[in-house]
Amino acid sequence: MSERDGGGTDADGTGGERADTGRAATIDAIVDVVADSAEDIRSGLVGRRGKSDRENPSGDVQAEADVYADDLLEARLSAIDGVAEYASEERADVVDCGEEATAADTVAVAVDPLDGSSNLEPNNTMGTVFAVYDEPLPAPGTSIVASGWVLYGPITTMAVARGGTVTKFELSGEEPTVVEEDVTIPDDPLVYGFGGRVPDWPDDFAEFARAVESDPSHKLRYGGAMIGDVNQVLTYGGIFAYPALADNPRGKLRLQFEGNPIGHLIETAGGRSSDGSRSLLSVEPNELHDRVPLHVGTAVLIDRLEATLE
Ligand code: P6P
């Protein structure tokens, strides 16, 4: 538990409880805003499939839809009582939302507003990813108190991890509809998806990938948007990885906005995450836009990955 957690109570035992109650209400509001914004983001994709003339802090050319989704979420999330910081894959710096970021009852929200926006061109799935940290950013994944994603598929769905459990929703109606509670990842791996190009992979990851691909019980499922690929792993069991690359040992995906929330949700669902040697949640960030080699999925495959990469 971080020092900001409500677990530390005042002499009369109320301060910590008050902080916990306040933070729970803030997390409720954050989840509601992300869910309520899904339809606005989805409908706002039309006419915004082009590239802007800007790059995000990671050097990716921003789609018009990236900027639109980020501006929409920043305006709505930063206005929530108890949100002290807003950070996004699309912004260089943390946004100060006017509350004390080190207070016991405030949180920081980190989002990937439109994960997989490169899929706008082929009209494939995309998603919105969020993580709620109980300390100022950048922060390790161990300080996440809630995480989740919205998947813009044939149906708009949402997965949320908080309080040690994962819940899946459909967002097509007025109110989110719970479709599955206490979601757990299947123990037997079925699907796999690996980002990057084979020539870009280090030899040890290429060896692991060949072993997974040659197993007749596994099926390739790779859609080019992390959220779509990870949601399939959560549904069927298996592994998604965007590994270290020969020209970039930290890989492509971002720790604060992708690795940590995905690692938190998959681990909450009984799976495992790894940067190649440890849980993603244990990776100490150096700066807000750190990249991280990202591997998540069924424990047996993550164990095999780490044994191969040792
Ligand atoms: P590649 C999308 O741009 C993204 O950040 C992730 O959603 C996805 O997993 C990855 O990049 C895809 O990268 O190199 O396969 O296009």
Side-chain angles (χ1 to χ4, degrees):
M1 280 188 184
S2 74
E3 71 286 348
R4 290 167 28 86
D5 190 274
T9 54
D10 297 342
D12 62 3
T14 58
E17 290 159 17
R18 191 167 52 245
D20 281 345
T21 307
R23 186 186 299 145
T26 300
I27 295 170
D28 289 344
I30 291 165
V31 173
D32 289 348
V33 161
V34 174
D36 294 346
S37 301
E39 200 44 50
D40 295 330
I41 289 173
R42 190 177 187 122
S43 58
L45 299 178
V46 178
R48 293 187 173 90
R49 298 174 70 177
K51 289 293 184 194
S52 72
D53 56 1
R54 294 164 40 179
E55 284 186 355
N56 70 12
S58 302
D60 307 327
V61 175
Q62 289 179 312
E64 292 164 36
D66 285 320
V67 178
Y68 163 75
D70 181 40
D71 288 346
L72 181 149
L73 289 171
E74 188 275 333
R76 295 180 183 180
L77 291 171
S78 60
I80 295 172
D81 284 344
V83 172
E85 296 183 337
Y86 172 91
S88 146
E89 191 176 289
E90 305 305 330
R91 290 171 190 259
D93 303 311
V94 173
V95 175
D96 180 339
C97 305
E99 300 201 31
E100 177 44 64
T102 58
D105 60 350
T106 63
V107 295
V109 185
V111 301
D112 182 356
L114 197 57
D115 172 70
S117 56
S118 52
N119 270 350
L120 275 167
E121 191 170 351
N123 192 30
N124 261 8
T125 55
M126 275 161 278
T128 292
V129 192
F130 72 92
V132 184
Y133 294 82
D134 73 359
E135 59 182 275
L137 299 175
T142 46
S143 65
I144 289 181
V145 291
S147 65
W149 64 68
V150 172
L151 178 58
Y152 306 106
I155 296 170
T156 306
T157 55
M158 188 175 196
V160 177
R162 67 183 293 198
T165 187
V166 174
T167 306
K168 279 188 174 179
F169 304 86
E170 284 182 357
L171 301 185
S172 46
E174 283 299 306
E175 285 297 315
T177 306
V178 174
V179 291
E180 189 178 350
E181 292 181 308
D182 201 16
V183 176
T184 54
I185 186 170
D187 289 330
D188 295 329
L190 177 61
V191 299
Y192 66 89
F194 301 140
R197 294 183 175 88
V198 176
D200 297 338
W201 295 339
D203 292 344
D204 52 9
F205 181 80
E207 176 191 342
F208 168 76
R210 279 194 299 273
V212 172
E213 291 161 353
S214 63
D215 184 325
S217 65
H218 298 156
K219 293 198 289 190
L220 172 64
R221 285 290 184 273
Y222 188 76
M226 172 189 66
I227 286 307
D229 296 323
V230 170
N231 201 57
Q232 289 196 92
V233 167
L234 178 62
T235 305
Y236 296 119
I239 185 169
F240 167 80
Y242 206 108
L245 302 172
D247 63 353
N248 187 341
R250 303 305 295 158
K252 173 181 182 181
L253 302 183
R254 277 61 48 155
L255 177 63
Q256 296 292 299
F257 309 107
E258 295 164 314
N260 277 340
I262 300 311
H264 177 262
L265 193 145
I266 292 295
E267 290 190 14
T268 304
R272 283 198 57 210
S273 78
S274 178
D275 69 347
S277 59
R278 69 181 67 77
S279 165
L280 291 169
L281 306 186
S282 305
V283 177
E284 278 299 326
N286 296 309
E287 61 92 27
L288 188 62
H289 294 280
D290 279 351
R291 297 177 192 266
V292 68
L294 187 155
H295 317 79
V296 291
T298 304
V300 65
L301 286 182
I302 300 297
D303 290 342
R304 192 187 304 173
L305 167 88
E306 292 187 343
T308 308
L309 268 56
E310 261 176 0

